[in-house]
mmCIF file of all heavy atoms in Angstrom:
data_model
loop_
_atom_site.group_PDB
_atom_site.id
_atom_site.type_symbol
_atom_site.label_atom_id
_atom_site.label_comp_id
_atom_site.label_asym_id
_atom_site.label_seq_id
_atom_site.Cartn_x
_atom_site.Cartn_y
_atom_site.Cartn_z
ATOM 1 N N PRO A 153 15.192 -3.582 -20.363
ATOM 2 C CA PRO A 153 15.989 -2.813 -19.385
ATOM 3 C C PRO A 153 15.281 -2.706 -18.034
ATOM 4 O O PRO A 153 15.921 -2.482 -17.012
ATOM 5 C CB PRO A 153 16.113 -1.428 -20.036
ATOM 6 C CG PRO A 153 15.854 -1.652 -21.476
ATOM 7 C CD PRO A 153 14.892 -2.798 -21.556
ATOM 8 N N ALA A 154 13.956 -2.871 -18.063
ATOM 9 C CA ALA A 154 13.204 -2.758 -16.804
ATOM 10 C C ALA A 154 13.361 -3.989 -15.918
ATOM 11 O O ALA A 154 12.859 -4.015 -14.797
ATOM 12 C CB ALA A 154 11.728 -2.532 -17.104
ATOM 13 N N ASN A 155 14.062 -5.020 -16.428
ATOM 14 C CA ASN A 155 14.185 -6.254 -15.652
ATOM 15 C C ASN A 155 15.132 -6.138 -14.457
ATOM 16 O O ASN A 155 15.238 -7.064 -13.664
ATOM 17 C CB ASN A 155 14.656 -7.389 -16.561
ATOM 18 C CG ASN A 155 13.513 -7.944 -17.384
ATOM 19 O OD1 ASN A 155 12.344 -7.666 -17.098
ATOM 20 N ND2 ASN A 155 13.824 -8.718 -18.405
ATOM 21 N N TRP A 156 15.829 -5.039 -14.383
ATOM 22 C CA TRP A 156 16.714 -4.834 -13.228
ATOM 23 C C TRP A 156 16.635 -3.362 -12.865
ATOM 24 O O TRP A 156 17.052 -2.500 -13.646
ATOM 25 C CB TRP A 156 18.152 -5.230 -13.583
ATOM 26 C CG TRP A 156 19.050 -5.443 -12.414
ATOM 27 C CD1 TRP A 156 18.763 -6.127 -11.270
ATOM 28 C CD2 TRP A 156 20.396 -4.989 -12.264
ATOM 29 N NE1 TRP A 156 19.835 -6.129 -10.422
ATOM 30 C CE2 TRP A 156 20.860 -5.436 -11.010
ATOM 31 C CE3 TRP A 156 21.254 -4.251 -13.070
ATOM 32 C CZ2 TRP A 156 22.139 -5.169 -10.528
ATOM 33 C CZ3 TRP A 156 22.530 -3.994 -12.604
ATOM 34 C CH2 TRP A 156 22.974 -4.445 -11.349
ATOM 35 N N SER A 157 16.095 -3.084 -11.712
ATOM 36 C CA SER A 157 15.827 -1.681 -11.373
ATOM 37 C C SER A 157 17.092 -0.892 -11.072
ATOM 38 O O SER A 157 17.025 0.310 -10.855
ATOM 39 C CB SER A 157 14.854 -1.604 -10.199
ATOM 40 O OG SER A 157 15.337 -2.359 -9.125
ATOM 41 N N PHE A 158 18.237 -1.552 -11.067
ATOM 42 C CA PHE A 158 19.497 -0.839 -10.789
ATOM 43 C C PHE A 158 20.256 -0.530 -12.073
ATOM 44 O O PHE A 158 21.447 -0.232 -12.040
ATOM 45 C CB PHE A 158 20.371 -1.667 -9.841
ATOM 46 C CG PHE A 158 19.666 -2.027 -8.574
ATOM 47 C CD1 PHE A 158 19.041 -3.253 -8.436
ATOM 48 C CD2 PHE A 158 19.595 -1.132 -7.522
ATOM 49 C CE1 PHE A 158 18.369 -3.588 -7.276
ATOM 50 C CE2 PHE A 158 18.921 -1.456 -6.356
ATOM 51 C CZ PHE A 158 18.304 -2.693 -6.237
ATOM 52 N N TYR A 159 19.583 -0.660 -13.196
ATOM 53 C CA TYR A 159 20.254 -0.564 -14.492
ATOM 54 C C TYR A 159 20.046 0.789 -15.148
ATOM 55 O O TYR A 159 18.945 1.329 -15.153
ATOM 56 C CB TYR A 159 19.684 -1.652 -15.402
ATOM 57 C CG TYR A 159 20.219 -1.669 -16.814
ATOM 58 C CD1 TYR A 159 21.581 -1.823 -17.069
ATOM 59 C CD2 TYR A 159 19.353 -1.533 -17.895
ATOM 60 C CE1 TYR A 159 22.060 -1.851 -18.370
ATOM 61 C CE2 TYR A 159 19.829 -1.571 -19.196
ATOM 62 C CZ TYR A 159 21.179 -1.724 -19.428
ATOM 63 O OH TYR A 159 21.648 -1.756 -20.705
ATOM 64 N N THR A 160 21.106 1.319 -15.674
ATOM 65 C CA THR A 160 21.040 2.473 -16.568
ATOM 66 C C THR A 160 21.657 2.019 -17.888
ATOM 67 O O THR A 160 22.804 1.551 -17.889
ATOM 68 C CB THR A 160 21.839 3.654 -16.006
ATOM 69 O OG1 THR A 160 21.260 4.048 -14.768
ATOM 70 C CG2 THR A 160 21.818 4.830 -16.972
ATOM 71 N N PRO A 161 20.928 2.109 -18.994
ATOM 72 C CA PRO A 161 21.482 1.647 -20.270
ATOM 73 C C PRO A 161 22.861 2.255 -20.534
ATOM 74 O O PRO A 161 23.072 3.453 -20.341
ATOM 75 C CB PRO A 161 20.444 2.132 -21.285
ATOM 76 C CG PRO A 161 19.168 2.144 -20.525
ATOM 77 C CD PRO A 161 19.539 2.578 -19.138
ATOM 78 N N GLY A 162 23.764 1.407 -20.959
ATOM 79 C CA GLY A 162 25.127 1.867 -21.234
ATOM 80 C C GLY A 162 26.053 1.744 -20.037
ATOM 81 O O GLY A 162 27.262 1.943 -20.141
ATOM 82 N N GLN A 163 25.470 1.454 -18.888
ATOM 83 C CA GLN A 163 26.278 1.317 -17.675
ATOM 84 C C GLN A 163 26.260 -0.138 -17.192
ATOM 85 O O GLN A 163 25.638 -0.994 -17.807
ATOM 86 C CB GLN A 163 25.747 2.246 -16.588
ATOM 87 C CG GLN A 163 25.907 3.730 -16.909
ATOM 88 C CD GLN A 163 25.481 4.616 -15.766
ATOM 89 O OE1 GLN A 163 25.343 4.173 -14.637
ATOM 90 N NE2 GLN A 163 25.260 5.885 -16.057
ATOM 91 N N PHE A 164 26.927 -0.363 -16.069
ATOM 92 C CA PHE A 164 27.029 -1.702 -15.503
ATOM 93 C C PHE A 164 25.706 -2.460 -15.603
ATOM 94 O O PHE A 164 24.678 -1.910 -15.211
ATOM 95 C CB PHE A 164 27.437 -1.574 -14.030
ATOM 96 C CG PHE A 164 27.686 -2.887 -13.344
ATOM 97 C CD1 PHE A 164 28.969 -3.405 -13.253
ATOM 98 C CD2 PHE A 164 26.637 -3.606 -12.782
ATOM 99 C CE1 PHE A 164 29.194 -4.610 -12.609
ATOM 100 C CE2 PHE A 164 26.870 -4.817 -12.162
ATOM 101 C CZ PHE A 164 28.144 -5.320 -12.070
ATOM 102 N N PRO A 165 25.677 -3.666 -16.150
ATOM 103 C CA PRO A 165 26.806 -4.499 -16.587
ATOM 104 C C PRO A 165 27.223 -4.275 -18.048
ATOM 105 O O PRO A 165 28.085 -5.003 -18.536
ATOM 106 C CB PRO A 165 26.266 -5.910 -16.392
ATOM 107 C CG PRO A 165 24.818 -5.790 -16.681
ATOM 108 C CD PRO A 165 24.409 -4.428 -16.198
ATOM 109 N N ASP A 166 26.588 -3.279 -18.741
ATOM 110 C CA ASP A 166 27.040 -2.984 -20.105
ATOM 111 C C ASP A 166 28.495 -2.507 -20.040
ATOM 112 O O ASP A 166 28.880 -1.774 -19.110
ATOM 113 C CB ASP A 166 26.190 -1.877 -20.732
ATOM 114 C CG ASP A 166 24.758 -2.324 -20.979
ATOM 115 O OD1 ASP A 166 24.490 -3.535 -20.824
ATOM 116 O OD2 ASP A 166 23.914 -1.473 -21.294
ATOM 117 N N GLY A 167 29.263 -2.880 -21.001
ATOM 118 C CA GLY A 167 30.651 -2.429 -21.046
ATOM 119 C C GLY A 167 31.524 -3.082 -20.004
ATOM 120 O O GLY A 167 32.629 -2.609 -19.721
ATOM 121 N N VAL A 168 31.026 -4.142 -19.397
ATOM 122 C CA VAL A 168 31.827 -4.879 -18.407
ATOM 123 C C VAL A 168 31.958 -6.312 -18.917
ATOM 124 O O VAL A 168 30.937 -6.973 -19.149
ATOM 125 C CB VAL A 168 31.151 -4.894 -17.018
ATOM 126 C CG1 VAL A 168 31.993 -5.686 -16.022
ATOM 127 C CG2 VAL A 168 30.911 -3.479 -16.526
ATOM 128 N N SER A 169 33.191 -6.751 -19.111
ATOM 129 C CA SER A 169 33.357 -8.159 -19.484
ATOM 130 C C SER A 169 33.981 -8.888 -18.303
ATOM 131 O O SER A 169 34.908 -8.385 -17.651
ATOM 132 C CB SER A 169 34.222 -8.295 -20.732
ATOM 133 O OG SER A 169 35.541 -7.893 -20.460
ATOM 134 N N ALA A 170 33.424 -10.039 -18.021
ATOM 135 C CA ALA A 170 33.898 -10.820 -16.881
ATOM 136 C C ALA A 170 34.584 -12.074 -17.397
ATOM 137 O O ALA A 170 34.063 -12.752 -18.296
ATOM 138 C CB ALA A 170 32.722 -11.187 -15.986
ATOM 139 N N GLU A 171 35.713 -12.354 -16.840
ATOM 140 C CA GLU A 171 36.466 -13.532 -17.278
ATOM 141 C C GLU A 171 37.048 -14.246 -16.060
ATOM 142 O O GLU A 171 37.559 -13.601 -15.133
ATOM 143 C CB GLU A 171 37.606 -13.106 -18.211
ATOM 144 C CG GLU A 171 38.352 -14.293 -18.818
ATOM 145 C CD GLU A 171 39.596 -13.854 -19.589
ATOM 146 O OE1 GLU A 171 39.791 -12.655 -19.793
ATOM 147 O OE2 GLU A 171 40.377 -14.746 -19.952
ATOM 148 N N ALA A 172 36.910 -15.549 -16.078
ATOM 149 C CA ALA A 172 37.522 -16.342 -14.999
ATOM 150 C C ALA A 172 38.955 -16.642 -15.416
ATOM 151 O O ALA A 172 39.205 -17.556 -16.213
ATOM 152 C CB ALA A 172 36.730 -17.616 -14.784
ATOM 153 N N THR A 173 39.875 -15.850 -14.929
ATOM 154 C CA THR A 173 41.280 -16.044 -15.317
ATOM 155 C C THR A 173 41.894 -17.210 -14.544
ATOM 156 O O THR A 173 42.971 -17.701 -14.902
ATOM 157 C CB THR A 173 42.081 -14.760 -15.089
ATOM 158 O OG1 THR A 173 41.727 -14.209 -13.821
ATOM 159 C CG2 THR A 173 41.776 -13.737 -16.179
ATOM 160 N N ALA A 174 41.259 -17.639 -13.525
ATOM 161 C CA ALA A 174 41.621 -18.850 -12.776
ATOM 162 C C ALA A 174 40.361 -19.280 -12.041
ATOM 163 O O ALA A 174 39.424 -18.485 -11.910
ATOM 164 C CB ALA A 174 42.758 -18.552 -11.792
ATOM 165 N N PRO A 175 40.297 -20.533 -11.588
ATOM 166 C CA PRO A 175 39.063 -20.953 -10.901
ATOM 167 C C PRO A 175 38.684 -20.025 -9.752
ATOM 168 O O PRO A 175 37.508 -19.838 -9.480
ATOM 169 C CB PRO A 175 39.411 -22.364 -10.393
ATOM 170 C CG PRO A 175 40.436 -22.853 -11.346
ATOM 171 C CD PRO A 175 41.247 -21.649 -11.747
ATOM 172 N N ASP A 176 39.666 -19.453 -9.116
ATOM 173 C CA ASP A 176 39.363 -18.602 -7.969
ATOM 174 C C ASP A 176 39.634 -17.123 -8.261
ATOM 175 O O ASP A 176 39.677 -16.305 -7.341
ATOM 176 C CB ASP A 176 40.162 -19.040 -6.737
ATOM 177 C CG ASP A 176 41.649 -18.811 -6.905
ATOM 178 O OD1 ASP A 176 42.089 -18.598 -8.064
ATOM 179 O OD2 ASP A 176 42.369 -18.842 -5.890
ATOM 180 N N THR A 177 39.832 -16.798 -9.529
ATOM 181 C CA THR A 177 40.149 -15.401 -9.847
ATOM 182 C C THR A 177 39.253 -14.888 -10.970
ATOM 183 O O THR A 177 39.172 -15.478 -12.046
ATOM 184 C CB THR A 177 41.627 -15.254 -10.277
ATOM 185 O OG1 THR A 177 42.450 -15.855 -9.272
ATOM 186 C CG2 THR A 177 41.996 -13.788 -10.434
ATOM 187 N N LEU A 178 38.613 -13.791 -10.649
ATOM 188 C CA LEU A 178 37.723 -13.159 -11.625
ATOM 189 C C LEU A 178 38.365 -11.845 -12.063
ATOM 190 O O LEU A 178 38.820 -11.058 -11.229
ATOM 191 C CB LEU A 178 36.370 -12.874 -10.970
ATOM 192 C CG LEU A 178 35.351 -12.115 -11.822
ATOM 193 C CD1 LEU A 178 34.727 -13.036 -12.858
ATOM 194 C CD2 LEU A 178 34.263 -11.531 -10.934
ATOM 195 N N THR A 179 38.347 -11.622 -13.363
ATOM 196 C CA THR A 179 38.862 -10.354 -13.861
ATOM 197 C C THR A 179 37.744 -9.636 -14.598
ATOM 198 O O THR A 179 37.133 -10.192 -15.521
ATOM 199 C CB THR A 179 40.055 -10.584 -14.815
ATOM 200 O OG1 THR A 179 41.064 -11.307 -14.097
ATOM 201 C CG2 THR A 179 40.624 -9.260 -15.292
ATOM 202 N N LEU A 180 37.501 -8.425 -14.157
ATOM 203 C CA LEU A 180 36.508 -7.596 -14.834
ATOM 204 C C LEU A 180 37.249 -6.564 -15.666
ATOM 205 O O LEU A 180 38.154 -5.879 -15.156
ATOM 206 C CB LEU A 180 35.618 -6.867 -13.818
ATOM 207 C CG LEU A 180 34.813 -7.715 -12.843
ATOM 208 C CD1 LEU A 180 34.009 -6.820 -11.907
ATOM 209 C CD2 LEU A 180 33.883 -8.659 -13.588
ATOM 210 N N ARG A 181 36.878 -6.469 -16.926
ATOM 211 C CA ARG A 181 37.479 -5.439 -17.768
ATOM 212 C C ARG A 181 36.388 -4.436 -18.121
ATOM 213 O O ARG A 181 35.337 -4.799 -18.669
ATOM 214 C CB ARG A 181 38.098 -6.060 -19.027
ATOM 215 C CG ARG A 181 39.308 -6.920 -18.686
ATOM 216 C CD ARG A 181 40.125 -7.362 -19.880
ATOM 217 N NE ARG A 181 41.302 -8.109 -19.408
ATOM 218 C CZ ARG A 181 41.280 -9.399 -19.065
ATOM 219 N NH1 ARG A 181 40.150 -10.086 -19.133
ATOM 220 N NH2 ARG A 181 42.382 -9.984 -18.636
#
Side-chain angles (χ1 to χ4, degrees):
Chain A
N155 281 346
W156 197 45
S157 54
F158 305 96
Y159 177 59
T160 298
Q163 294 185 16
F164 185 95
D166 292 351
V168 179
S169 67
E171 186 188 351
T173 44
D176 67 344
T177 308
L178 175 76
T179 302
L180 301 179
R181 292 191 177 82

